[in-house]
Amino acid sequence: MKEVPDYKKYPVSEEEMGKRYKNWTESLGRQMAMMYKVGKEVGGEEFVERLKEAYREFGKSLVPLLMKQSGTKPEDFKDCIGLGKLIDTIDDSLANFWDGYEENSPKAFEKKILTCPMTEAWSTEPDLCAVMFHEMFGGVLETLNPKFKSDGFKKLLVRGDNCCHYRMELVED
């Protein structure tokens, strides 16, 4: 196993490291957009469909970690009320800021995200964001409660909208 560098011995403040990590994030975002573009060019719709499948499975695999990070339990997801705490934990960890909810009721959870660090980097391939997060959230939702449904994002910052707007609902049979 490779030894991990100990950054504490280098004379860089946490604030300075934060700026450097931000640069890395932006660089990786641009690289993801480029790979998505090339993937569509080379693999067409087959690539996009395979990517959707991979992100849905990834979302399913994240549920135990997300529940641990948010302090939620399976019983919190009998309706949509528990989604607020879990999704706020995700959004906060990704530096996505919001100003309250559109709805947080047993039947629906709806929110507008006002900031996103990937807005500029992914604006060249805005469908990457729509595909990635719609499918990833889809995997999370179906794992938490198969009755949770979402039609995806109504608005996306990467498309030039003033927010990222999504809604998740409890759909009874």
Side-chain angles (χ1 to χ4, degrees):
M1 190 166 139
K2 289 187 176 186
E3 187 177 322
V4 177
D6 179 9
Y7 287 103
K8 292 177 185 153
K9 67 182 179 183
Y10 297 101
V12 178
S13 69
E14 282 193 40
E15 180 180 351
E16 187 59 33
M17 282 305 287
K19 290 176 186 176
R20 292 173 188 193
Y21 283 131
K22 180 180 180 289
N23 291 338
W24 263 107
T25 300
E26 290 170 352
S27 174
L28 291 172
R30 288 188 295 275
Q31 291 174 46
M32 281 183 72
M34 179 182 61
M35 283 193 268
Y36 183 72
K37 180 179 181 176
V38 171
K40 288 188 311 181
E41 289 172 3
V42 173
E45 197 57 34
E46 184 178 345
F47 167 79
V48 174
E49 288 306 310
R50 180 61 191 101
L51 192 62
K52 286 178 178 180
E53 292 170 14
Y55 273 111
R56 185 159 290 256
E57 291 304 311
F58 181 59
K60 291 177 183 179
S61 75
L62 287 175
V63 169
L65 174 65
L66 296 174
M67 288 177 69
K68 181 179 179 184
Q69 289 175 335
S70 65
T72 56
K73 306 251 181 285
E75 57 269 18
D76 295 331
F77 302 103
K78 64 185 180 306
D79 62 29
C80 292
I81 295 289
L83 289 174
K85 189 172 182 182
L86 185 127
I87 297 196
D88 286 354
T89 299
I90 295 169
D91 287 332
D92 184 60
S93 73
L94 298 174
N96 298 329
F97 298 104
W98 63 97
D99 187 17
Y101 307 120
E102 300 297 299
E103 184 173 351
N104 189 19
S105 72
K107 296 288 182 194
F109 178 77
E110 186 172 1
K111 185 175 177 180
K112 290 180 181 177
I113 300 297
L114 305 174
T115 63
C116 173
M118 291 294 102
T119 301
E120 185 178 337
W122 287 359
S123 65
T124 60
E125 290 294 328
D127 288 344
L128 168 61
C129 186
V131 163
M132 185 176 94
F133 283 109
H134 176 68
E135 294 302 326
M136 191 170 65
F137 272 138
V140 168
L141 292 176
E142 74 182 60
T143 302
L144 293 171
N145 183 337
K147 293 181 180 182
F148 287 159
K149 303 291 181 222
S150 175
D151 290 334
F153 290 87
K154 297 175 184 180
K155 294 181 178 183
L156 283 169
L157 289 162
V158 295
R159 288 191 179 135
D161 295 326
N162 64 347
C163 66
C164 290
H165 184 187
Y166 55 86
R167 180 178 177 84
M168 299 158 187
E169 297 177 334
L170 180 68
V171 178
E172 298 292 341
D173 297 328

